[in-house]
Amino acid sequence: MTAVNDNQPTMLDDLRAWSKARHADGGWEKGHGRLERRRCAALDLDGPEWEGFAGLHGRRQAFRIERERRIVKQGSESRETACGLTSLDAGRAGPEEIAALVRRHWEIENRLHYVRDFTCDEDRCRAHVGNLPRNLACLTNAAISIVRHEGRFEHLPPANRHYAASPQEELDAVLKPPTG
C-alpha cells in the first residue's frame, strides 16, 4: 500500500472525484473518550480508462478512507480523508479488507515505532556509520520483543528501569531460550 499525499495534487484530485467505487462503512466505535467512524471506498483500476494512471507499476486499486472523530468531553469534531494505492486486486481485497489492513498498519505503528521513538528515544541517536543504525534498531526490536514475550511488565518504561538496575537479570532474559 502507498499513501497518496498533498504533494501529488493531480493524482489526489483524480482519486477524490470517483463515483464507481465500492464502499464499506465501519460504523461508530467508542473508545479513548471519543467516537470514531471510518468509511472506506475502493476503486478498481484494472479498466482501460486507468491504463498508465500515475505511472505506478502494480497498482490495482485506489482507496479512500474517511475518518470522522467526535471527542465526547470537548464536543469537538474532526474529519480526515486519506487516499492510497494498493497492489491487491478487487478479488483479493474489497473495501472492508483494505480498511482492516490500514488499521493494522497503525497498530504496528503504535506498538513498535512509537515505542522506539519515545520510550527508547531512538530519534536522538546519532549513530550513522555503516550498518550501525540498522543493527541498533534490531537490538531495540529484540529487547522490546523479549519484554513483551515475558509478560512481566505491562509497559516498557518500568521494564527499562528494572533491567537497568539488574544487569544480570537483563542478560539472563536475553540469553535464555524462550518458553511457551
Side-chain angles (χ1 to χ4, degrees):
M1 284 193 194
T2 297
V4 178
N5 298 317
D6 294 334
N7 63 349
Q8 300 158 316
T10 305
M11 188 185 315
L12 199 57
D13 288 341
D14 288 344
L15 295 179
R16 285 183 174 149
W18 50 6
S19 60
K20 297 179 185 176
R22 296 169 297 139
H23 296 271
D25 188 342
W28 289 97
E29 295 177 8
K30 185 175 182 179
H32 306 286
R34 64 181 178 248
L35 294 169
E36 287 189 70
R37 179 184 205 166
R38 289 175 195 79
R39 296 181 190 140
C40 182
L43 179 64
D44 190 355
L45 299 178
D46 279 340
E49 70 273 20
W50 295 101
E51 192 63 40
F53 175 72
L56 297 174
H57 176 71
R59 54 83 193 121
R60 303 294 297 273
Q61 287 188 90
F63 62 89
R64 179 180 64 219
I65 296 181
E66 298 169 349
R67 298 178 193 96
E68 186 177 347
R69 289 189 187 100
R70 295 180 184 161
I71 299 177
V72 177
K73 285 186 179 180
Q74 298 173 353
S76 62
E77 293 186 15
S78 66
R79 292 174 189 256
E80 176 182 59
T81 301
C83 293
L85 301 170
T86 180
S87 61
L88 297 171
D89 63 37
R92 289 183 54 203
E96 296 87 1
E97 291 83 10
I98 290 172
L101 287 170
V102 170
R103 272 305 280 269
R104 248 181 267 134
H105 164 78
W106 283 108
E107 180 180 331
I108 292 168
E109 179 71 28
N110 292 333
R111 282 191 50 83
L112 181 61
H113 297 267
Y114 180 86
V115 170
R116 284 175 46 182
D117 291 346
F118 291 96
T119 302
C120 301
D121 207 13
E122 198 173 70
D123 286 344
R124 290 195 316 155
C125 181
R126 296 293 169 229
H128 62 276
V129 178
N131 291 324
L132 185 58
R134 181 175 290 173
N135 293 339
L136 289 174
C138 288
L139 290 171
T140 300
N141 290 345
I144 292 168
S145 296
I146 289 168
V147 168
R148 288 196 171 138
H149 185 268
E150 279 186 331
R152 291 175 52 192
F153 300 95
E154 188 175 349
H155 302 289
L156 255 37
N160 288 347
R161 288 188 294 273
H162 173 80
Y163 287 124
S166 311
Q168 184 59 49
E169 194 176 338
E170 178 179 12
L171 190 58
D172 292 342
V174 170
L175 296 177
K176 74 176 181 185
T179 58

